Amino acid sequence: MRRPESIAIVGLGLIGGSLAKRLLVRGIQVVSWDVDPQTRAKAGAAGIDCVSEIEQVCAGEPDLLILAVPLHQMAGIAGALLPNLPARTIVSDVGSVKAPIAALMAELGLASRYVGTHPMAGSEQSGFDWASADLLLGAPWVLTLVPETPRTGVELMMSMVTGDLEGRVHPLSNDVHDASVALVSHLPHAVANELLTVVGTSEFAAVAIGLAAGSFRDGTRVAGTNPRRTEAMLLDNKEWLEAAVRQAIAGLTRFADALAVGEDVAAFFDDPAAIKSRIQTHSRQSGWIDFAVLDDGHWQSELLALGARGGLITAVEPVTDRLQVSW
Amino acid sequence: MRRPESIAIVGLGLIGGSLAKRLLVRGIQVVSWDVDPQTRAKAGAAGIDCVSEIEQVCAGEPDLLILAVPLHQMAGIAGALLPNLPARTIVSDVGSVKAPIAALMAELGLASRYVGTHPMAGSEQSGFDWASADLLLGAPWVLTLVPETPRTGVELMMSMVTGDLEGRVHPLSNDVHDASVALVSHLPHAVANELLTVVGTSEFAAVAIGLAAGSFRDGTRVAGTNPRRTEAMLLDNKEWLEAAVRQAIAGLTRFADALAVGEDVAAFFDDPAAIKSRIQTHSRQSGWIDFAVLDDGHWQSELLALGARGGLITAVEPVTDRLQVSW
């Protein structure tokens, strides 16, 4: 299975910058560009090859082009790159929502040359100043697949993530990805923000915050930080997020109604206890997928079936193309 | 200001047991009782004087009687103790909701001999086996006051908490206490449980939990643990909790509605950011209250005014009766 030898990175923020720094350590040839001249200067000073015009970033015909820019800039950036995009270069991105980007790539005629990805790592900070070669190390990394997804692109990404980044790959459809991050990231952010607002705007706020227990501190830890970045992240996934928020509202309403009329609320506490116990006692199994023998139309469905049951790829055997997997 | 010399403790669970162990270390005379003979035996083995009949627990005419039993047992226990309750003994309790207990004490004719308290400490565990002399050390300790509250009782509790337990005292009305803990403890527990249920019962649960980020882990940390204890704690405060849950539902509904129609949601993120910044930049002030010169009717209102603005008593000067306070 081929490992990428040259990668172009557009956007040197926290994720793009960290990726560039790590790939540099790994001896992979990196050419990059960022819209901000100061960022380009800083990246250059850190040893990262930085071109001054976006059109030049793929001049070396890299194996991979990774777009690490905000979702709302993706169309403009991809459009600017398209005329000079070498035929051999696989396009990828690291955005936190996948269906809209897959749709954009299809519109641009790039569906058969595109692999969507989402590295599940980050920090409270943003920008190249906070980028580090270690940030993405060992992170879960979602690859999103559609029938047109190029096998070469998936192979390059699987090699890079499991090898150069020591991470694990979650192969998912765009919708399963977007629905899942709505549940485990965007909904918790919404709930934490609302919890902080309810307490902070209460007439009892001064007393309540003075008495704050661990449950409040944990429940509001991600609230109120980077409001614009959180807003953008949640708005990018607003359909799935809205559905998740409505689910939470429905459950809380059933609970409040039961409290009001004195109905039994045991299930409200027993259900999450059973879920937590299931999570904690789940014993993972491992196995392998013989990727080499799977032909087109089968390798996608095989990987998606693995991902849909919570499975992931932990390593790639470079000679045999066997994938070590666990679920 | 008088410090308690002898204390009777009824109920040797996590809180009662920890209090008994700490008071023993401090050389205060403790007599205790627990409904469970095994717990009494363990307490005896730990050096805690334990009587076998509840009626005997106040035979020594202690300064304080502290009821450390669940709310639903409070009426039965208080009723059993009433016939043998020495006139000089102040009654207190450590329940996590205060208005219903204050009402019970008034019904029993004990309003002028009762001080409600709530030590804000605990652990995932419960029972005497987990009790420790350190558990309550330094904890915030709410005292609830009504016009009938006995000055002696408040003095004994303030001395014990700030001195023997190295804690701080939050003087509050019953309603302000119950509303505040609904906001910073009971609502976060409800929200965490609902969040875990929404994710765990989703068709995407396996994937979502595999991708779980810090926001989900933080937001569900208190969910699903000790379901019966959490249920009892929340049900004991169900009126205030219901109001708080309705507030959260209203805010989340406004957010979901705005997502649905594409309205501006900036305030949903800016409001908690402003609250968090206010909390983090709040610089506490300190001062003192000359408790000795405050007569009846004034000391209660003075302490309640302090507590209502988030203030607390950090120390008691034993000779001058001055209270060191901060807010």
Side-chain angles (χ1 to χ4, degrees):
Chain A
M1 190 165 294
R2 212 156 61 84
R3 183 175 162 241
E5 285 165 13
S6 58
I7 298 183
I9 298 176
V10 171
L12 290 169
L14 183 72
I15 300 294
S18 295
L19 186 58
K21 288 184 170 184
R22 174 67 189 169
L23 295 175
L24 209 65
V25 171
R26 295 288 294 174
I28 294 175
Q29 193 192 326
V30 174
V31 177
S32 68
W33 178 83
D34 190 276
V35 68
D36 175 29
Q38 284 200 339
T39 298
R40 294 202 296 268
K42 284 178 193 166
I48 299 166
D49 189 1
C50 235
V51 295
S52 56
E53 303 297 329
I54 188 171
E55 292 79 9
Q56 302 161 351
V57 82
C58 288
E61 303 204 355
D63 293 324
L64 274 173
L65 161 66
I66 298 179
L67 306 177
V69 299
L71 183 61
H72 69 274
Q73 295 173 16
M74 203 69 78
I77 295 277
L81 288 162
L82 199 52
N84 299 301
L85 194 65
R88 67 179 301 276
T89 300
I90 295 290
V91 181
S92 187
D93 81 298
V94 293
S96 65
V97 58
K98 301 271 48 101
I101 303 174
L104 169 68
M105 294 299 163
E107 260 176 57
L108 296 173
L110 291 172
S112 65
R113 298 170 56 192
Y114 167 73
V115 184
T117 86
H118 180 200
M120 305 289 288
S123 95
E124 295 295 287
Q125 314 300 340
S126 55
F128 184 78
D129 289 342
W130 297 94
S132 107
D134 294 340
L135 182 78
L136 298 171
L137 219 57
W141 201 294
V142 175
L143 292 198
T144 51
L145 308 179
V146 296
E148 297 86 355
T149 302
R151 184 173 182 130
T152 321
V154 171
E155 291 184 356
L156 289 168
M157 288 300 308
M158 288 195 302
S159 295
M160 180 186 86
V161 172
T162 61
D164 301 297
L165 302 171
E166 301 173 14
R168 52 187 210 252
V169 171
H170 295 252
L172 298 174
S173 74
N174 290 301
D175 280 351
V176 170
H177 169 271
D178 292 353
S180 298
V181 293
L183 288 167
V184 290
S185 171
H186 305 163
L187 176 62
H189 275 83
V191 161
N193 276 284
E194 178 57 27
L195 185 55
L196 186 52
T197 297
V198 167
V199 174
T201 59
S202 159
E203 61 175 305
F204 306 107
V207 174
I209 289 163
L211 296 178
S215 59
F216 176 73
R217 286 191 297 272
D218 288 344
T220 58
R221 200 173 324 269
V222 297
T225 51
N226 285 313
R228 290 288 76 70
R229 191 172 76 171
T230 305
E231 180 184 9
M233 177 173 79
L234 270 58
L235 282 180
D236 285 347
N237 201 20
K238 66 180 173 183
E239 283 81 12
W240 286 110
L241 172 60
E242 189 204 332
V245 172
R246 301 274 187 211
Q247 283 274 105
I249 291 170
L252 288 172
T253 302
R254 280 192 300 275
F255 178 59
D257 289 348
L259 288 180
V261 300
E263 262 172 24
D264 185 36
V265 291
F268 184 81
F269 301 95
D270 287 334
D271 291 350
I275 293 165
K276 185 159 261 185
S277 153
R278 209 173 68 214
I279 294 172
Q280 288 170 341
T281 58
H282 176 67
S283 65
R284 292 192 75 81
Q285 295 187 269
S286 58
W288 52 271
I289 291 175
D290 196 350
F291 198 68
V293 306
L294 294 171
D295 51 20
D296 271 6
H298 286 101
W299 64 266
Q300 290 99 328
S301 54
E302 190 89 0
L303 292 188
L304 286 175
L306 171 73
R309 60 176 195 266
L312 46 99
I313 298 150
T314 51
V316 170
E317 292 175 4
V319 178
T320 63
D321 278 6
R322 291 212 314 178
L323 311 179
Q324 290 179 16
V325 301
S326 115
W327 64 91
Chain B
M1 191 165 294
R2 212 155 63 83
R3 184 176 161 238
E5 285 166 14
S6 58
I7 299 183
I9 298 176
V10 171
L12 291 169
L14 183 71
I15 300 294
S18 295
L19 186 58
K21 287 183 170 183
R22 174 67 189 168
L23 295 176
L24 209 65
V25 171
R26 294 288 293 174
I28 293 175
Q29 192 192 327
V30 174
V31 178
S32 68
W33 179 83
D34 190 277
V35 68
D36 174 29
Q38 283 200 336
T39 298
R40 293 201 299 268
K42 285 177 192 165
I48 299 165
D49 189 0
C50 236
V51 294
S52 56
E53 303 296 330
I54 188 171
E55 291 77 10
Q56 302 162 349
V57 82
C58 288
E61 303 204 355
D63 293 324
L64 275 172
L65 161 67
I66 298 179
L67 306 177
V69 298
L71 183 61
H72 69 273
Q73 295 173 13
M74 204 68 79
I77 295 277
L81 287 161
L82 198 54
N84 299 300
L85 194 65
R88 68 180 299 276
T89 300
I90 295 290
V91 180
S92 188
D93 82 298
V94 294
S96 65
V97 57
K98 302 271 47 104
I101 303 174
L104 169 69
M105 294 299 163
E107 259 176 56
L108 295 173
L110 291 172
S112 65
R113 298 172 56 192
Y114 168 73
V115 184
T117 86
H118 180 200
M120 305 289 287
S123 96
E124 295 295 287
Q125 314 300 338
S126 54
F128 184 79
D129 289 343
W130 297 94
S132 105
D134 294 341
L135 181 79
L136 298 170
L137 219 58
W141 201 293
V142 176
L143 292 199
T144 51
L145 307 179
V146 295
E148 297 85 355
T149 302
R151 184 173 182 133
T152 322
V154 171
E155 290 185 355
L156 289 168
M157 288 299 308
M158 288 195 301
S159 295
M160 181 186 84
V161 172
T162 61
D164 301 297
L165 302 171
E166 300 172 14
R168 51 187 211 252
V169 171
H170 295 252
L172 298 174
S173 74
N174 290 300
D175 280 352
V176 170
H177 169 272
D178 292 353
S180 298
V181 294
L183 288 167
V184 290
S185 171
H186 305 163
L187 175 63
H189 275 84
V191 161
N193 277 284
E194 179 57 27
L195 185 56
L196 185 53
T197 297
V198 167
V199 174
T201 58
S202 159
E203 60 176 305
F204 306 107
V207 175
I209 289 165
L211 297 178
S215 59
F216 176 72
R217 285 192 297 272
D218 288 344
T220 58
R221 201 173 323 268
V222 298
T225 52
N226 284 314
R228 289 289 77 71
R229 192 172 74 171
T230 305
E231 180 184 9
M233 178 174 78
L234 270 58
L235 283 179
D236 285 347
N237 201 20
K238 66 182 176 182
E239 282 81 11
W240 286 110
L241 172 60
E242 189 204 332
V245 172
R246 300 274 186 211
Q247 283 274 106
I249 291 170
L252 288 172
T253 302
R254 281 191 300 273
F255 178 59
D257 289 347
L259 289 181
V261 299
E263 262 172 23
D264 183 38
V265 292
F268 184 80
F269 302 95
D270 287 335
D271 291 350
I275 292 164
K276 186 160 260 185
S277 154
R278 209 172 66 213
I279 293 173
Q280 287 170 342
T281 60
H282 175 66
S283 65
R284 292 192 75 81
Q285 296 187 270
S286 58
W288 51 270
I289 291 175
D290 196 348
F291 198 67
V293 306
L294 293 171
D295 50 22
D296 272 5
H298 286 101
W299 65 267
Q300 291 100 329
S301 54
E302 191 88 0
L303 292 188
L304 286 175
L306 171 72
R309 61 176 195 268
L312 46 97
I313 299 150
T314 51
V316 170
E317 292 176 4
V319 179
T320 63
D321 278 7
R322 291 212 314 178
L323 311 179
Q324 290 179 17
V325 302
S326 113
W327 64 92

